[in-house]
Amino acid sequence: MTEDLPFYPMPSESRLHPAARLAELQAKCPVTRVRIWNDMQPWLFTRHDDVCAILSDPQVSADSSAPGYPSTSLATVQTRTEFPTFLQMDAPEHIFYRRMVAGGFTTPRAEGYRAEITELVDEALDELLAMQPPLNFVEAFALVVPSRMIGKLLGVPYADHEFFQSRSHTLTSGLSTQQELATATAEMREYLEDLITAKERDPGDDLLSQLIVRHARKGEISHEQVVATARMLLTGGHDTTASMTALGTLILLLHPDQMARLRADRSLLPNAVEEMLRFFTITHIGRRRVAVADIERAGVTVRAGDGIIADHKMANRDPSKFAEPNTFDISRDTAGHVAFGAGPHQCLGQQLARVELQVIFDRLLTRIPNLHLVGGIEDVRWRDEGVVTLGLDEMVVSW
């Protein structure tokens, strides 16, 4: 019976680690049926190799409109209906549309932004240091740099950041009511419609304007698709990096020995960022898919039409891939972590996120060497676990 199946996602005993029940399933039953919010019964994959294989399998679809697709919540159903993008497409359409925006997020392009990101980070730190501690690090710093950077890239005024952050939160929360979703959707759509219409009249030097000039004007992408893409890049481009900034700072403050090593040897910084990404898999409630053909994996037959949850959070805590996976270690071999997903739909902006995080932690360690938590881990206020992205609402710090 459906009621006998474990409910997913499972609340964790410690917000620093996945639920103990998930670790048990990973060890004893790595592919199993679970029950989700709408009583669907998708297959849950928790081991690293299985997660990578299933996310790379061409017989697995990302089409969220397909019967059997296990949406994360009513909020994601609403968002994907109102703002459909290539994230919910399969090849060849997925490849065609992804390539339109991928050029703005290549490794060389991301590295080219390093000086500009450094300037933005130092400006944000100037503002932070001018404030009177103690203060909420999340609002005062973590949200600032990613919001400003994605605003520059997309041509979105930073003055509007509180508007799009609050609406994005509503549209990604499993706790949002239908009325809240309807209101946030209408307001976000109106905002983006105005933004894109203005760029269609007078394109600027930004990624959305390039998308309009190079593709929309040629009929390769519609006005509606540009609006949806703007919503995807705006939300994904600031929220995840902001969350990682706050969580990465938290984990360093909780591990002063690791912070001291990093401060003494900055060559460890790139790998330290990868370890933060592995330890805190920001999109923490699994990559959702649906099988389009029968698949045999780990001794289980997943039938065509069955929903799939590839839990890449658990893949990053798989002891067969990462020794002592619940230990934060900036010198571990992080190769193969799947914080950005795996397969053709892995995160488009991952290289930009890496550069941002490397600069953020380098400058933070340099300019505020005595940063510390006010209180303990029990005083940190986490986002609700129903929100698509793991993160903090409040972390009070001083220096």
Side-chain angles (χ1 to χ4, degrees), residues 3 23 30 104 148 198 209 220 278 297 302 326 346 362 377 387:
E3 292 77 9
R148 288 179 179 172
S209 294
E220 295 175 346
R278 182 201 69 85
R297 188 74 198 173
V302 178
N326 291 333
Q346 60 184 285
D362 177 55
I377 182 65
V387 179

Side-chain angles (χ1 to χ4, degrees), residues 159-356:
D160 298 337
H161 71 281
E162 290 185 2
F163 171 86
F164 64 72
Q165 284 168 4
S166 65
R167 275 57 174 189
S168 294
H169 184 274
T170 300
L171 292 171
T172 57
S173 175
L175 300 180
S176 299
T177 66
Q178 285 187 303
Q179 183 57 54
E180 289 170 338
L181 288 170
T183 300
T185 298
E187 292 174 343
M188 181 69 91
R189 176 170 292 283
E190 181 181 5
Y191 176 81
L192 293 174
E193 284 282 358
D194 291 345
L195 178 73
I196 298 306
T197 298
K199 291 182 183 298
E200 288 170 339
R201 288 195 304 263
D202 184 21
D205 183 22
D206 57 75
L207 290 179
L208 294 177
S209 294
Q210 292 172 16
L211 188 62
I212 290 166
V213 172
R214 297 176 184 176
H215 302 287
R217 288 182 177 176
K218 297 177 183 177
E220 295 175 346
I221 187 171
S222 68
H223 168 87
E224 183 67 22
Q225 288 171 319
V226 176
V227 170
T229 301
R231 185 266 167 190
M232 175 193 71
L233 295 175
L234 184 60
T235 302
H238 85 273
D239 186 60
T240 51
T241 306
S243 292
M244 194 67 258
T245 298
L247 289 169
T249 302
L250 172 64
I251 202 67
L252 286 176
L253 293 175
L254 292 175
H255 294 79
D257 58 326
Q258 301 281 302
M259 182 181 279
R261 291 177 61 199
L262 188 55
R263 185 175 286 118
D265 183 1
R266 296 303 169 83
S267 69
L268 294 171
L269 185 58
N271 198 68
V273 167
E274 300 304 314
E275 174 66 348
M276 293 173 191
L277 291 164
R278 182 201 69 85
F279 193 86
F280 290 115
T281 305
I282 295 296
T283 50
H284 64 124
I285 52 179
R287 301 285 172 141
R288 308 299 173 106
R289 299 290 187 267
V290 61
V292 296
D294 291 357
I295 300 168
E296 297 284 342
R297 188 74 198 173
V300 171
T301 301
V302 178
R303 301 292 183 188
D306 284 353
I308 292 168
I309 301 175
D311 192 330
H312 54 316
K313 167 185 79 268
M314 289 307 301
N316 281 336
R317 297 295 185 99
D318 185 348
S320 70
K321 178 65 178 179
F322 303 104
E324 299 183 12
N326 291 333
T327 298
F328 178 75
D329 180 2
I330 63 173
S331 61
R332 80 158 67 244
D333 182 1
T334 58
H337 80 72
V338 288
F340 293 112
H345 284 81
Q346 60 184 285
C347 177
L348 181 71
Q350 60 182 284
Q351 300 306 334
L352 179 61
R354 286 184 165 103
V355 173
E356 285 189 63

Side-chain angles (χ1 to χ4, degrees), residues 31-70:
V31 182
T32 185
R33 291 271 195 182
V34 292
R35 179 171 57 91
I36 62 173
W37 65 279
N38 57 2
D39 281 334
M40 290 182 66
Q41 303 174 43
W43 292 98
L44 176 68
F45 289 75
T46 53
R47 287 186 181 167
H48 182 275
D49 290 352
D50 293 335
V51 165
C52 290
I54 210 72
L55 291 176
S56 302
D57 195 325
Q59 298 184 110
V60 171
S61 172
D63 182 359
S64 60
S65 67
Y69 183 93

